[in-house]
Amino acid sequence: MEAARLVASFRVFDGVRVHGIQPRGSPPADGLTVAVFGERRVKLLRLRVDAEDGGAVGVRLELEQRLPGFDHWVLDACFLEVDGLLAIGLGDNSVALWDLKDRVFVTRVNSPEKCLLYSMRMWGDSVQSLLVASGTILNEILIWKLVPETRSSSLLSSDELGATGVENREKQHSSGNKYMAVHIGRLKEHEGSIFRIAWSSDGSKFMSVSDDRSARMWMLSCKPQDLTNQAAKIDDVDIIPKLTLFGHSARIWDCCISDSIVITAGEDCTCCIWGMDGKLIKTFKEHIGRGLWRCLYDPSSLVLITAGFDSAIKVHHLCNSSFHDILEENVAPDGLKYDSEVFEISSPIVSGQHGALDSKSEYVRCLHFVQENVLYVATNNGYLHHAELSDTKDPRWTEVIQVTEKAPIICMDVMTGCSDISLDKEDIIALGDGRGNVTIVRLSSPSLLEPKMDLSFTWQAEKDRQLLGLYWCKSLECSHIFTADPRGTLKLWNIRNALFSNGHPITQEVSLVAMFESPFGARIMCLDVSLQDEILITGDKKVTSLPFLFIKHWQHMTAVRHNRRYLYVTVLKELMAFLVSQVFR
């Protein structure tokens, strides 16, 4: 079995984490549609996989639809193929329905139970069959569904009908129906917040895992299809607790359920496989650090995938004689070792590291891509690594330098293609550590498998724990760099003499050119310079944009160590004069 290798990667959101991916049915010939959501955003993308010459695989990801932003976080998405809709579950315990053809919102139905949610999971292929399970931070699971208001009287109990009222009425569906939320049950057996919920494939049962270290299985007293019957009443529906599983020594983050087994993954770095009788069949304990974050199981292939906080992904094939009477009756592919780990994706930086992480553990602090296949990695123990990711089955890692043994690397920035003195084929990496030092590393031939370090030099930019930002600016080339402290002070350093030194660079060759101090005392997070307009613009942590006068002939600037208040007032006066001249031009 070959090791996994990166085929392609895509940026879906800017500055937003991807929280979930939901595929739409079986992949057709022209590609698979997937709903990708993160924070308050949802996008529909078309994934196409093409075979290329030489047996290579080409992967394309194309944007189909971009949904408008929501006012709450998206917790789940479910394609309702019968109605041609996408159901989006939101953090305020509501469900929005998006028409896939007309690209408009049909309605948004709010559950009358308002509570902060940690999890939500939906099941169904139509609005009529849709079941919603919401896990709250108050240790409760709320089961509810959407029903047309014209049918609400036949589905609601008398108490529920009075509680929901008409406040949940929304826009009309194309069929003319309006929808409202109907509660089926409230489950209070857990003693901790509900982190994850998973439905079975037929919607007859579901699993829940919690902060209380337990996993619980629940079963509906009737078939989900029966809830669409006109004669059905909520009073006749029971949610029956079937199993309570204790086997983890810490919080349980995720779960899967199939027809024959249940799988749980927890903070104790274990993945447990359970039979439907509640018996623990097998336990995997291979990830390190803060535990297992996600697990995924495919009953048709018996493949189990786990993902941990250690950034590793592990794949197992659950086919073994000990599972013969329990697992689905599938046969392992020829040549595949039963019950074996198939592959692992992990950085060699943490190789051999076991146990919980602490301040001295080795882990990734900063990442920076300079090409689609070249990555720089800075770590907690002061190492800079170069990773070459293309045309190999495994990433090739090269240790460039350990800049410090006593402090972690806090910040990193990379300048590529610098035109100063023909550095267009070199990378200049700036590293800031917890002692306030800045280290500049110059690499030649960075695209090769083993890049060569031409030089490195270090100077003290701030006191201990006071250096929080490093910023190259394209307009200033690579001979100048900014540093930032926690109080909103920027320093501009001239490193030209040290960077282009023929001999060994020394600290005295680095000079402080200018200092810019914010009156708001908030850390500077980003900046840019316009030499033509002589303005430095910065953005700080308090969402404040600050303009500074930036002299065009910045090569001749000297360090400003006094009268900072006067400098800032002068800057504002100069900027106001500039803005006025632009307005009345």
Side-chain angles (χ1 to χ4, degrees), residues 532-548:
Q532 180 179 357
D533 296 323
E534 300 186 359
I535 293 179
L536 164 66
I537 298 292
T538 67
D540 67 18
K541 197 173 182 180
K542 292 184 178 179
V543 202
T544 306
S545 295
L546 297 173
F548 293 92

Side-chain angles (χ1 to χ4, degrees), residues 503-518:
H504 295 287
I506 57 177
T507 303
Q508 285 77 3
E509 293 178 312
V510 177
S511 60
L512 178 62
V513 175
M515 187 181 299
F516 307 90
E517 186 172 12
S518 164

Side-chain angles (χ1 to χ4, degrees), residues 42 93 126 153 162 191 206 229 263 316 374 424 497 554 558 572:
V42 179
N93 208 13
S126 66
S153 59
E191 296 180 359
F206 62 92
N229 193 323
I263 299 171
H316 297 266
V374 176
D424 57 321
N497 293 336
W554 44 271
T558 56
L572 289 181

Side-chain angles (χ1 to χ4, degrees), residues 27 37 94 178 183 274 293 321 325 336 355 397 427 496 515 530:
F37 54 90
S94 69
K178 295 181 180 180
H183 273 252
W274 311 79
W293 182 238
S321 58
D325 297 328
L336 179 62
W397 293 83
D427 289 342
R496 184 185 183 87
M515 187 181 299
S530 171

Side-chain angles (χ1 to χ4, degrees), residues 175-431:
S175 63
N177 284 328
K178 295 181 180 180
Y179 296 96
M180 61 189 305
V182 176
H183 273 252
I184 300 174
R186 181 195 299 269
L187 311 175
K188 301 182 179 181
E189 279 75 3
H190 277 289
E191 296 180 359
S193 300
I194 314 301
F195 289 145
R196 197 76 166 174
I197 298 170
W199 287 94
S200 63
S201 59
D202 63 358
S204 63
K205 53 186 176 290
F206 62 92
M207 288 291 302
S208 59
V209 294
S210 168
D211 192 27
D212 63 6
R213 305 183 181 185
S214 75
R216 298 176 186 264
M217 182 192 298
W218 314 83
M219 181 170 290
L220 272 64
S221 61
C222 67
K223 296 180 180 179
Q225 295 80 358
D226 294 340
L227 294 177
T228 64
N229 193 323
Q230 283 278 4
K233 292 184 180 294
I234 297 302
D235 289 338
D236 300 329
V237 181
D238 292 324
I239 300 175
I240 306 166
K242 297 293 292 183
L243 287 177
T244 301
L245 307 175
F246 285 98
H248 290 270
S249 59
R251 294 177 288 185
I252 306 178
W253 294 120
D254 200 6
C255 61
C256 299
I257 181 172
S258 73
D259 293 336
S260 57
I261 60 172
V262 170
I263 299 171
T264 57
E267 193 177 27
D268 57 358
C269 291
T270 63
C271 180
C272 297
I273 303 173
W274 311 79
M276 284 299 177
D277 58 357
K279 180 181 178 180
L280 181 62
I281 301 172
K282 187 174 181 63
T283 299
F284 297 97
K285 188 171 185 178
E286 294 162 325
H287 289 268
I288 62 173
R290 295 175 56 196
L292 289 180
W293 182 238
R294 286 290 179 260
C295 62
L296 183 65
Y297 176 61
D298 178 25
S300 63
S301 61
L302 305 183
V303 169
L304 169 64
I305 302 172
T306 60
F309 280 96
D310 57 1
S311 300
I313 299 171
K314 302 197 176 187
V315 181
H316 297 266
H317 192 269
L318 303 183
C319 192
N320 188 291
S321 58
S322 63
F323 295 94
H324 179 73
D325 297 328
I326 301 170
L327 295 177
E328 290 80 353
E329 294 181 359
N330 289 64
V331 179
D334 293 339
L336 179 62
K337 184 179 178 182
Y338 290 170
D339 190 26
S340 63
E341 181 180 317
V342 180
F343 59 80
E344 175 180 351
I345 303 170
S346 184
S347 163
I349 299 171
V350 296
S351 177
Q353 179 174 298
H354 300 283
L357 297 178
D358 56 27
S359 61
K360 296 182 180 180
S361 299
E362 178 68 323
Y363 53 87
V364 173
R365 280 277 191 167
C366 306
L367 297 169
H368 200 296
F369 270 103
V370 292
Q371 300 176 32
E372 63 180 7
N373 61 336
V374 176
L375 173 70
Y376 288 107
V377 179
T379 76
N380 189 56
N381 287 335
Y383 285 96
L384 174 66
H385 291 263
H386 174 280
E388 219 283 338
L389 305 177
S390 65
D391 300 327
T392 58
K393 295 181 179 179
D394 296 307
R396 184 182 181 95
W397 293 83
T398 301
E399 180 184 316
V400 177
I401 189 176
Q402 185 180 18
V403 298
T404 176
E405 297 180 359
K406 299 180 180 180
I409 293 176
I410 302 298
C411 47
M412 175 174 69
D413 200 5
V414 181
M415 174 71 81
T416 61
C418 182
S419 61
D420 274 4
I421 313 186
S422 301
L423 291 182
D424 57 321
K425 294 184 179 180
E426 298 189 345
D427 289 342
I428 315 296
I429 302 99
L431 303 162

Side-chain angles (χ1 to χ4, degrees), residues 21-69:
I21 302 173
Q22 182 64 42
R24 182 180 184 180
S26 301
D30 60 344
L32 175 67
T33 296
V34 294
V36 181
F37 54 90
E39 297 186 8
R40 294 176 171 87
R41 303 181 188 179
V42 179
K43 289 183 179 180
L44 298 182
L45 305 164
R46 176 68 59 133
L47 179 65
R48 304 180 190 272
V49 180
D50 304 316
E52 298 179 347
D53 295 338
V57 176
V59 180
R60 292 176 292 152
L61 196 63
E62 303 168 357
L63 178 65
E64 286 190 346
Q65 299 182 34
R66 180 187 289 107
L67 277 64

Side-chain angles (χ1 to χ4, degrees), residues 517-531:
E517 186 172 12
S518 164
F520 302 108
R523 175 188 167 191
I524 301 298
M525 306 294 290
C526 55
L527 59 85
D528 203 357
V529 172
S530 171
L531 291 179

Side-chain angles (χ1 to χ4, degrees), residues 93 110-115 144 160 163-165 167-168 181-183:
N93 208 13
N110 294 279
S111 167
E113 293 288 340
K114 298 293 184 181
C115 180
W144 55 287
E160 188 116 33
T164 55
E167 296 178 356
N168 296 307
V182 176
H183 273 252

